[in-house]
Amino acid sequence: MSFLEDESSDGGAGARAQLESYVFSCELSSEVPFYTFQGDEEEDLEHFLELRTICLGEGAKEENNVVEVTAMNHQGKKISVPVANLHISCLPMVSLGEFELMAPVTLRLKSGSGPVTVSGLHLVASENDEEAEASDEDEDSVEEMPSIKPAKKKQKL
């Protein structure tokens, strides 16, 4: 279960997170050694980067390629952590599962010349008001009931 699923399941009364996901990919090399992922600055949106795979591209040399991630830790301080050490002959690709980070996130080719492709998902979470949705649903689901007429009595002959 991911962090976002945990948040949306216990979001409290009246609030529920809506999650949209988009494909993410960037290539790191000696020409472009880093990439910074940032979301839009809208108030009600949170942007996450879910890293899935890091792999060497065509033309990678016989060298170690170390990919480092810089993001905020639980105390709000920037921290840098190496997440992959790739080599063309023994480990050309690594799967990170569902490694979620809140924006901003910087991916950097700390050593090696690449090319290294980092892929995953760009997740956008927004808060929805459940009560507003529920009232809209109630209005749509209420149907006009036909008026009830008394049943006619059969006459005995």
Side-chain angles (χ1 to χ4, degrees):
M1 184 184 306
S2 74
F3 169 73
L4 290 174
E5 290 171 339
D6 288 344
E7 262 195 6
S8 64
S9 64
D10 67 359
R16 183 176 177 194
Q18 177 181 344
L19 184 65
E20 295 178 14
S21 62
Y22 304 95
V23 174
F24 168 82
S25 179
C26 72
E27 185 175 278
L28 306 174
S29 65
S30 56
E31 290 83 31
V32 183
F34 69 92
Y35 175 84
T36 300
F37 168 82
Q38 295 185 16
D40 296 334
E41 294 296 322
E42 293 186 33
E43 286 180 24
D44 59 340
L45 297 179
E46 289 185 336
H47 295 268
F48 297 87
L49 181 59
E50 184 177 288
L51 299 177
R52 295 281 179 101
T53 60
I54 301 175
C55 64
L56 290 173
E58 187 176 335
K61 298 176 185 173
E62 286 282 334
E63 63 185 1
N64 285 344
N65 289 272
V66 177
V67 177
E68 178 182 78
V69 172
T70 302
M72 297 288 192
N73 68 8
H74 69 285
Q75 297 172 333
K77 296 179 183 177
K78 282 188 178 184
I79 185 170
S80 297
V81 178
V83 292
N85 186 350
L86 305 175
H87 196 280
I88 195 70
S89 63
C90 63
L91 187 64
M93 180 180 138
V94 66
S95 175
L96 298 172
E98 298 175 1
F99 185 47
E100 275 182 27
L101 300 162
M102 183 182 277
V105 176
T106 299
L107 303 162
R108 184 167 75 104
L109 186 58
K110 188 172 181 176
S111 70
S113 57
V116 175
T117 301
V118 180
S119 61
L121 295 175
H122 172 185
L123 304 172
V124 181
S126 61
E127 292 293 322
N128 285 343
D129 189 4
E130 254 184 41
E131 292 173 6
E133 287 180 13
S135 66
D136 290 345
E137 289 175 12
D138 289 344
E139 290 174 9
D140 293 342
S141 63
V142 174
E143 296 177 14
E144 291 290 323
M145 297 293 289
S147 59
I148 300 173
K149 298 179 183 174
K152 295 182 181 177
K153 291 184 180 180
K154 290 186 179 181
Q155 294 179 350
K156 292 185 181 180
L157 297 172

